[in-house]
Amino acid sequence: MRWQGQQLGVDDTSALPGMERMDGLVRSVTTPEFAGMTFHEVLAKSALNRVPGVSAMPFDWTVNPYRGCTHACSYCFARKTHEYLDLDYGADFDSQIVVKVNVAEVLRGELRRGSWAREPVMLGTNTDPYQRAEGRYKLMPQIIGALTDNGTPFSILTKGTLLRRDLPLLTDAAQQVRVSLAMSIAVFDDALQHSIEPGTPSADARLETVRAAAAAGFRVTVFLMPILPHLTDSIPALDDALARIRAAGAARVVYGALHLRPGAKQWFLQWLEREHPHLVSSYRGLYPGVSTQAPKAYRTWLGRRMRPLLRMHRLDGWDEDDHPRGRPQPGLASREQPTPDRRGLGPVRTTGVAASIRPRVVPASEPTLF
């Protein structure tokens, strides 16, 4: 099996053009366990990524141990970032995965800098840290350990059930730092889920992970996103989703309509033409030209549909539009004033608004790749 057989410094003739000599590349790996996929193991130059100031995100720092994602979600907003690697936003994003094998070691070094102010760090904003490859590479336990040992609060957003593996570690971490967990579950119909996000665990498996995290003491947020016009926005579909989320013990729900950013938009529309051609004209009407968001009228209509259902199921819930640009989003890391002693907090993560103290760490030039 080539996973064990490759040698360092030896070109992989099956790698895509340019990847065999990528700066920092250790090796490119294939294995029957991940048929049709190649993992490009690289030595990261940096681990902490600073979010651009113009971003709508409520946090300033992220860590992304992987680039590309085996979840293969047709709507994934991060697809276009693969073009920075001279790879495409379609099949390459799903099958050419960059693995930062030394990310935890680099992260520890960056966290030790005197200028690091222990601001909250978000994991899962670009590609999923608990995608299937994490089962082999086991990068997350080291990342969690690095952040915890440094006293840096963090949040995880994932579709991956591998989160359950690390629940004991996360529970221990939450005794020392603020930790928040969020599970993304967009599609509750099994056939549609297998079609539109074929590499993800089932909704039932993700709900079991929510249940396990709640049992461990975490107030888990479920991101019911994206809601797909004409596919998952009916009252029966939303009612079923919220009932199952409530039964799993989630604390809150954040919902929002589909976004179609460049790259994701083209790939999603190709999927729609194959699987639901009768909806293509409707989607082109909702997302004309270069528009990325559904119209305000549709989002308002969706909110009016969701709010009574949330009340009926006794769930706290927010529309992503309810949180102005850059303000805290329930379930995600938020800018806050670090406190000198975080011990005894327990595994419950609370989100507050506070002034951001920006460390004097010099960010790498954009875009940060490794």
Side-chain angles (χ1 to χ4, degrees):
M1 191 164 79
R2 292 182 58 244
W3 192 286
Q4 286 87 4
Q6 287 197 339
Q7 299 177 5
L8 301 186
V10 177
D11 290 354
D12 179 6
T13 57
S14 70
L16 292 183
M19 294 296 285
E20 73 278 3
R21 287 299 185 189
M22 177 190 289
D23 186 28
L25 180 69
V26 176
R27 61 177 183 172
S28 294
V29 176
T30 59
T31 173
E33 183 184 354
F34 295 89
M37 298 179 188
T38 302
F39 296 94
H40 305 284
E41 299 176 359
V42 303
L43 297 178
K45 296 176 181 177
S46 63
L48 284 166
N49 304 310
R50 189 167 184 170
V51 178
V54 297
S55 171
M57 295 297 101
F59 43 82
D60 293 319
W61 299 97
T62 67
V63 173
N64 295 298
Y66 302 95
R67 290 186 69 87
C69 187
T70 58
H71 287 337
C73 301
S74 298
Y75 52 78
C76 181
F77 71 89
R79 286 186 170 276
K80 195 168 179 62
T81 63
H82 235 43
E83 293 184 344
Y84 296 133
L85 304 174
D86 292 326
L87 299 172
D88 69 51
Y89 55 71
D92 286 350
F93 183 85
D94 303 337
S95 63
Q96 303 291 324
I97 311 301
V98 176
V99 184
K100 304 174 187 178
V101 291
N102 67 333
V103 64
E105 177 185 352
V106 173
L107 177 62
R108 284 188 179 275
E110 292 176 338
L111 295 174
R112 283 195 295 267
R113 295 175 182 173
S115 55
W116 176 245
R118 296 180 175 83
E119 291 190 82
V121 170
M122 185 68 207
L123 295 128
T125 58
N126 195 30
T127 55
D128 201 314
Y130 282 108
Q131 58 181 285
R132 282 181 59 213
E134 171 61 16
R136 177 176 291 273
Y137 284 101
K138 300 179 175 62
L139 300 179
M140 282 298 289
Q142 303 170 62
I143 292 171
I144 292 167
L147 293 167
T148 304
D149 292 347
N150 179 261
T152 294
F154 62 93
S155 298
I156 299 172
L157 172 62
T158 183
K159 296 178 180 178
T161 55
L162 274 167
L163 176 72
R164 294 182 70 173
R165 179 199 67 191
D166 292 345
L167 278 177
L169 182 62
L170 289 163
T171 302
D172 290 343
Q175 303 303 319
Q176 303 178 62
V177 298
R178 295 179 184 270
V179 177
S180 64
L181 303 180
M183 179 64 68
S184 174
I185 316 176
V187 182
F188 288 76
D189 175 86
D190 288 343
L192 180 58
Q193 181 248 326
H194 288 312
S195 173
I196 198 170
E197 42 181 52
T200 60
S202 68
D204 282 339
R206 281 180 264 178
L207 288 169
E208 283 301 315
T209 304
V210 171
R211 186 173 285 108
F218 290 95
R219 299 185 68 246
V220 185
T221 300
V222 170
F223 277 66
L224 184 57
M225 296 172 62
I227 294 174
L228 306 168
H230 309 300
L231 288 170
T232 63
D233 61 354
S234 70
I235 289 177
L238 296 172
D239 180 54
D240 174 65
L242 293 175
R244 293 163 70 179
I245 290 169
R246 170 69 180 181
R252 62 180 75 85
V253 172
V254 177
Y255 65 92
L258 175 69
H259 290 211
L260 287 176
R261 297 185 186 178
K265 188 171 192 174
Q266 293 90 321
W267 193 246
F268 176 84
L269 288 174
Q270 289 180 41
W271 171 84
L272 196 68
E273 288 170 355
R274 289 194 312 270
E275 302 294 330
H276 301 277
H278 62 289
L279 292 179
V280 171
S281 61
S282 295
Y283 270 81
R284 291 195 183 279
L286 286 168
Y287 301 89
V290 297
S291 62
T292 60
Q293 280 191 310
K296 178 66 174 177
Y298 174 85
R299 299 186 334 255
T300 300
W301 171 87
L302 182 61
R304 288 173 179 166
R305 176 161 285 196
M306 281 291 295
R307 284 189 287 273
L309 290 172
L310 287 164
R311 288 194 297 269
M312 184 176 73
H313 290 287
R314 291 175 292 126
L315 277 165
D316 289 337
W318 291 267
D319 185 330
E320 62 171 342
D321 285 350
D322 292 341
H323 293 267
R325 187 177 182 86
R327 294 291 299 278
Q329 185 75 262
L332 300 185
S334 62
R335 302 179 179 96
E336 62 182 7
Q337 172 78 36
T339 55
D341 184 5
R342 296 185 178 278
R343 298 186 180 276
L345 291 172
V348 176
R349 167 73 160 98
T350 57
T351 303
V353 182
S356 172
I357 297 180
R358 291 184 177 268
R360 294 184 298 277
V361 176
V362 179
S365 59
E366 294 295 336
T368 302
L369 298 182
F370 308 122

